[in-house]
Amino acid sequence: MSGRRILVTAALPYANGHIHIGHLVEYIQTDIWVRFQNLRGHRCIYLCADDTHGTAIMIRARQEGRSEAEVIGEMQQAHVRDFAGFDIAFDNYGSTNSDENRTQCAEIWKALRDADLVHQKQVTQLFDPVEGTFLADRFVRGTCPKCEAPDQYGDSCDKCLANFSPTDLIDPRSTLSGATPEIRTADHLFVRIEQLHGFLDEWTQDGDHLQSEVANYLKGHFLGDELRDWDVSRPAPYFGFEIPDAPGHYWYVWFDAPIGYMASTHQWCQANGEDFDTWWRDPETEIHHFIGKDITYFHTLFWPAMLKTAGFNLPTKVHIHGFLTVDGRKMSKSEGTFVQASTYLEHLNPAWIRYYYASKLGPRLDDLDLNLDEFVTKVNTDLVGKVVNLASRTAKFIAGKHTAADYPDDDGLFVRGTEAGERIAAAYEACDFNTAMREVMALADAANKFVEDAAPWALKKDPDQADRLVDVCSIALNLFRQLAIYLAPVLPQLAEQTGQLLNDPITNWDQSQAPLAGTPVGEFQHMMQRVDPKQVQAMIDDSKEATPLENQLEAVEAEDTTSEEPGEDTPSPETIDENGGGDDQPAAEAPTAGCEAHQQEPLTTELCTFDDFMKVDMRVARVAQASHVEGADKLLQLVLDLGGDVRKTVFAGIKGVYQPEDLVDRLVVCCANLAPRKMRFGTSEGMVLAAGPGGDDIFLLAPDSGAVPGQRVH
Ligand SMILES: [Zn+2]
């Protein structure tokens, strides 16, 4: 395979605040994509930097009595530490306040001047006479000029949603000093981006550079009209780079931030003996930017315009994602869902959220909801229950020995896994990680069924079955390894542990295509723990208590990174009504000859109406607790979590078929509105659905992976 050369960036985090779980959606998404490309044998580098300039940093430094360099230096260290804690592996992590960036900005600036795109205009703005600085809209608050709601930001009103100019506010005041702002006029430099309108029409609408909804949005919102000149300078005082040919004027933070991608490349090239032009001028190189939807137009209009004018490669693709919500709502400091990366790491394993985000991320701009109950369920059911368990239940039986010299007959399981490989790879490539994870978990289900059926723990007890035991474990471990390779972009540590266990480091996707035979099996080392909901609660509690040193500026920034949009929709009953009405279903038939199940329990001949059916409220539930009932032969007592705060105690006649410890945390289907029944041991508040006639033939129903407690079953 002739490898592709790919340069990847994630948006530069601002040096005024710590990394939180909302930011991590993007850095983890990008890290997975980069790791995937490298695993496929391509040459892919991941570059990032701190975004350091602007008024907010300047004011913060003043308030803290420190230099800007000190403020941003400290924050950069914190960012680097947080990212490393989540296995986010940048090839270079720079700063926009670097010599490389100053030089690169000057080069692009000269190109804009040479193309005659820069001109000067006067701008009238509010000015804080105490701090001696012009005020961006978000640094001014006052009374809405339309509805007179108090304490509104300078550009819009929360109450009546009116948009206005900060000079229209009644009783405006600076959020920096509290002073009443003055109106002042200053010269600013502008880029006439309209001159590149034709190019931007073509670049945004043709080719595959943008997701289609983004291309349409740009066409409808910006490109349909004349493009407004872009204000790229700020007068002194301003923390940034002074413009070489305009003393007293500084490049606006949004001018130098994307150029920081190039500056980071310069640093990486210098450290690795690489040629910068290979990465930014050779058309063979692909450039992929990952960003959130809030900064779309900087990256899809201004940035390509700058690159085009200065003669650099244009982005191959800008990948745009939605925002994070937690339990369907905006992240909130008071509710404890505004979780800092460092707080997460104090309580939870980074692999868990890498997997959870991967299981939720698709190629579109939809917001991603972190449902905390679902988080626990997915980690415990998928990662621990389905993946890691494959190794932990089998490796111990052949630890210190070798897997079978020839890969045994597995009924085509491994081959089916290899066939899924290209589908999984295509999903990763398209940033459709959700589909990739579903494919992997379907393979995990098949592998687990194999282990259940083969029951190595039973073979272990029979010395005559020693060879069969080795075969079964060899198959299970190879199926496990295949999954670990497919999951390696998401779970790099699991891949490393798997390489150690089977003495064969995982470095390439193609390793998934052939099983290992006769490989020494190491001692099984613990790979991953289950998540205890108490740990999640402790993290939330800690986030409530934590009041990090944040000024009002950071609070504003934080609000910008989350969304007001609600979480996912649940399927509507209407979709079922169309074919669920019973009209075309032969509901009543005589028992099928030879069908034992029908003989034991004949099909019901009496029809039930759709309304009858809808009376029964069946829900997905998680078994929160399971225990024996003293004095009961058949009953287990289950406490079911039906989502939210809803818990129900149910007595189920499944003792002897299921062990309590095997039930905890698994998902079941529960009739939630069954009238409570008083029993000798207590009141049963529902019923767990199971198939089979009873006795030893009881099979609990389980929803497919992805279902979460509380969802209605239709
Ligand atoms: Zn208003």
Side-chain angles (χ1 to χ4, degrees):
M1 169 174 21
S2 67
R4 292 148 63 192
R5 191 191 309 122
I6 311 170
L7 184 151
V8 179
T9 70
L12 311 187
Y14 199 45
N16 195 32
H18 286 284
I19 301 301
H20 55 66
I21 56 172
H23 293 123
L24 287 171
V25 172
E26 175 172 314
Y27 299 97
I28 288 174
Q29 178 190 36
T30 313
D31 187 70
I32 290 171
W33 200 77
V34 170
R35 286 179 186 272
F36 165 72
Q37 299 298 350
N38 281 307
L39 194 66
R40 293 283 280 180
H42 304 303
R43 182 122 198 269
C44 185
I45 57 171
Y46 185 8
L47 303 172
C48 198
D50 259 15
D51 179 15
T52 56
H53 290 152
T55 313
I57 297 292
M58 180 177 78
I59 299 297
R60 183 177 190 136
R62 275 187 208 171
Q63 285 172 346
E64 295 176 7
R66 302 194 286 168
S67 69
E68 286 102 350
E70 215 175 316
V71 170
I72 64 178
E74 188 181 273
M75 193 55 84
Q76 184 172 12
Q77 281 185 357
H79 287 177
V80 166
R81 195 172 53 231
D82 287 343
F83 287 132
F86 286 86
D87 288 323
I88 296 161
F90 298 113
D91 289 276
N92 190 70
Y93 196 87
S95 163
T96 57
N97 194 45
S98 67
D99 291 342
E100 291 86 355
N101 204 34
R102 185 192 292 271
T103 308
Q104 191 61 59
C105 286
E107 182 186 348
I108 290 180
W109 182 249
K110 181 168 183 307
L112 295 170
R113 286 276 200 196
D114 290 348
D116 199 22
L117 292 175
V118 181
H119 69 122
Q120 191 168 312
K121 280 199 282 195
Q122 288 204 320
V123 173
T124 299
Q125 248 187 317
L126 293 179
F127 181 86
D128 183 327
V130 175
E131 292 288 349
T133 181
F134 284 92
L135 293 166
D137 296 351
R138 61 185 186 138
F139 296 142
V140 186
R141 298 198 81 139
T143 302
C144 170
K146 296 268 158 55
C147 76
E148 301 192 354
D151 205 30
Q152 298 302 313
Y153 278 115
D155 53 355
S156 63
C157 173
D158 276 351
K159 281 270 153 50
C160 71
L161 305 177
N163 288 305
F164 39 78
S165 155
T167 52
D168 298 334
L169 276 179
I170 302 165
D171 295 332
R173 63 190 187 286
S174 163
T175 62
L176 303 180
S177 67
T180 303
E182 300 166 2
I183 295 176
R184 287 205 192 173
T185 299
D187 288 327
H188 284 221
L189 294 162
F190 287 77
V191 173
R192 277 197 197 102
I193 194 172
E194 175 60 16
Q195 290 189 17
L196 291 150
H197 201 135
F199 155 72
L200 289 170
D201 271 337
E202 195 183 314
W203 186 81
T204 59
Q205 304 301 313
D206 299 341
D208 197 21
H209 308 303
L210 302 172
Q211 289 133 300
S212 57
E213 57 261 61
V214 177
N216 292 335
Y217 165 76
L218 294 175
K219 195 174 179 179
H221 285 80
F222 296 99
L223 293 165
D225 289 322
E226 189 177 316
L227 293 165
R228 286 165 59 188
D229 293 345
W230 183 30
D231 185 352
V232 292
S233 79
R234 294 293 181 268
Y238 191 75
F239 178 54
F241 294 137
E242 194 168 18
I243 302 176
D245 54 15
H249 296 269
Y250 290 75
W251 282 309
Y252 173 47
V253 56
W254 261 110
F255 178 81
D256 74 44
I259 298 174
Y261 299 144
M262 304 172 93
S264 193
T265 315
H266 277 295
Q267 292 180 342
W268 177 79
C269 286
Q270 223 154 21
N272 293 279
E274 290 274 337
D275 171 38
F276 178 82
D277 284 352
T278 304
W279 293 89
W280 280 96
R281 289 194 198 270
D282 183 340
E284 294 291 304
T285 302
E286 297 175 33
I287 295 176
H288 293 257
H289 300 301
F290 285 76
I291 60 166
K293 62 186 178 185
D294 52 332
I295 54 176
T296 295
Y297 68 93
F298 290 107
H299 281 83
T300 55
L301 297 176
F302 299 143
W303 179 233
M306 285 158 73
L307 292 170
K308 171 78 176 168
T309 304
F312 291 106
N313 280 351
L314 294 165
T316 309
K317 182 142 189 174
V318 182
H319 305 260
I320 304 180
H321 60 81
F323 296 136
L324 180 75
T325 55
V326 180
D327 283 342
R329 291 193 295 276
K330 234 170 139 160
M331 288 164 58
S332 144
K333 290 187 179 178
S334 60
E335 289 174 34
T337 53
F338 194 98
V339 180
Q340 306 274 9
S342 55
T343 311
Y344 177 99
L345 289 174
E346 281 169 30
H347 296 277
L348 305 176
N349 180 339
W352 296 342
I353 202 160
R354 287 181 68 100
Y355 173 72
Y356 184 83
Y357 281 172
S359 76
K360 304 288 277 188
L361 276 163
R364 301 172 66 86
L365 281 76
D366 307 324
D367 289 340
L368 185 161
D369 187 45
L370 168 55
N371 177 298
L372 295 169
D373 289 335
E374 184 194 27
F375 172 81
V376 172
T377 309
K378 262 187 191 285
V379 168
N380 290 346
T381 308
D382 292 357
L383 285 190
V384 181
K386 292 184 183 178
V387 178
V388 171
N389 250 357
L390 277 176
S392 68
R393 294 163 88 192
T394 55
K396 60 189 170 196
F397 297 127
I398 53 169
K401 299 180 191 158
H402 290 72
T403 60
D406 294 309
Y407 183 68
D409 178 14
D410 68 358
D411 253 345
L413 278 175
F414 192 89
V415 169
R416 276 202 289 287
T418 62
E419 287 163 359
E422 282 312 301
R423 291 199 301 276
I424 294 168
Y428 271 122
E429 177 69 41
C431 290
D432 191 0
F433 301 164
N434 160 291
T435 297
M437 295 307 104
R438 272 174 196 263
E439 290 269 1
V440 171
M441 287 308 144
L443 296 177
D445 284 335
N448 278 294
K449 181 168 185 317
F450 165 80
V451 173
E452 286 294 332
D453 293 347
W457 43 90
L459 298 173
K460 169 76 179 162
K461 292 175 188 156
D462 182 354
D464 291 346
Q465 298 280 5
D467 288 348
R468 174 66 186 152
L469 179 63
V470 170
D471 282 358
V472 165
C473 294
S474 302
I475 292 168
L477 288 173
N478 269 297
L479 296 174
F480 165 71
R481 172 174 172 270
Q482 192 173 50
L483 300 177
I485 295 167
Y486 292 154
L487 289 170
V490 179
L491 303 170
Q493 289 190 17
L494 184 73
E496 203 181 314
Q497 291 166 320
T498 305
Q500 281 165 8
L501 177 68
L502 298 175
N503 281 283
D504 189 67
I506 291 169
T507 57
N508 195 289
W509 186 268
D510 291 344
Q511 290 171 284
S512 64
Q513 303 301 293
L516 292 175
T519 192
V521 178
E523 222 25 76
F524 179 78
Q525 306 285 336
H526 189 75
M527 288 183 170
M528 193 180 292
Q529 273 180 330
R530 302 167 64 83
V531 53
D532 182 340
K534 287 196 200 98
Q535 294 170 277
V536 176
Q537 192 54 50
M539 173 185 80
I540 297 294
D541 291 344
D542 253 17
S543 299
K544 277 180 200 159
E545 290 154 16
T547 40
L549 288 172
E550 287 154 341
N551 55 31
Q552 68 271 36
L553 309 181
E554 188 173 331
V556 169
E557 199 217 355
E559 279 171 27
D560 289 341
T561 59
T562 56
S563 143
E564 305 92 344
E565 310 265 329
E568 295 160 85
D569 293 331
T570 44
S572 76
E574 284 80 359
T575 55
I576 289 154
D577 198 17
E578 291 191 0
N579 47 25
D583 298 342
D584 53 354
Q585 292 295 319
E589 274 185 11
T592 320
C595 176
E596 202 190 337
H598 289 180
Q599 280 158 14
Q600 286 167 335
E601 296 180 280
L603 290 171
T604 307
T605 52
E606 191 190 340
L607 293 177
C608 94
T609 66
F610 184 70
D611 287 343
D612 290 339
F613 173 74
M614 288 306 289
K615 271 190 199 163
V616 182
D617 191 2
M618 287 178 292
R619 298 282 166 164
V620 175
R622 186 181 62 85
V623 179
Q625 294 166 29
S627 50
H628 291 289
V629 181
E630 220 180 288
D633 294 334
K634 293 183 180 167
L635 292 179
L636 290 182
Q637 180 175 349
L638 307 179
V639 178
L640 301 179
D641 164 8
L642 277 86
D645 293 323
V646 181
R647 297 277 188 284
K648 279 185 185 287
T649 300
V650 169
F651 291 90
I654 55 176
K655 184 176 176 169
V657 184
Y658 288 90
Q659 295 303 316
E661 57 270 28
D662 293 333
L663 291 170
V664 173
D665 270 329
R666 69 168 277 180
L667 293 181
V668 294
V669 176
C670 156
C671 173
N673 63 339
L674 191 69
R677 263 197 311 164
K678 274 223 165 71
M679 302 172 76
R680 187 148 60 92
F681 311 100
T683 302
S684 188
E685 301 172 287
M687 181 184 276
V688 178
L689 301 193
D696 287 334
D697 288 326
I698 298 174
F699 307 95
L700 283 178
L701 298 193
D704 218 335
S705 73
V708 296
Q711 284 178 335
R712 185 159 185 178
V713 178
H714 302 277

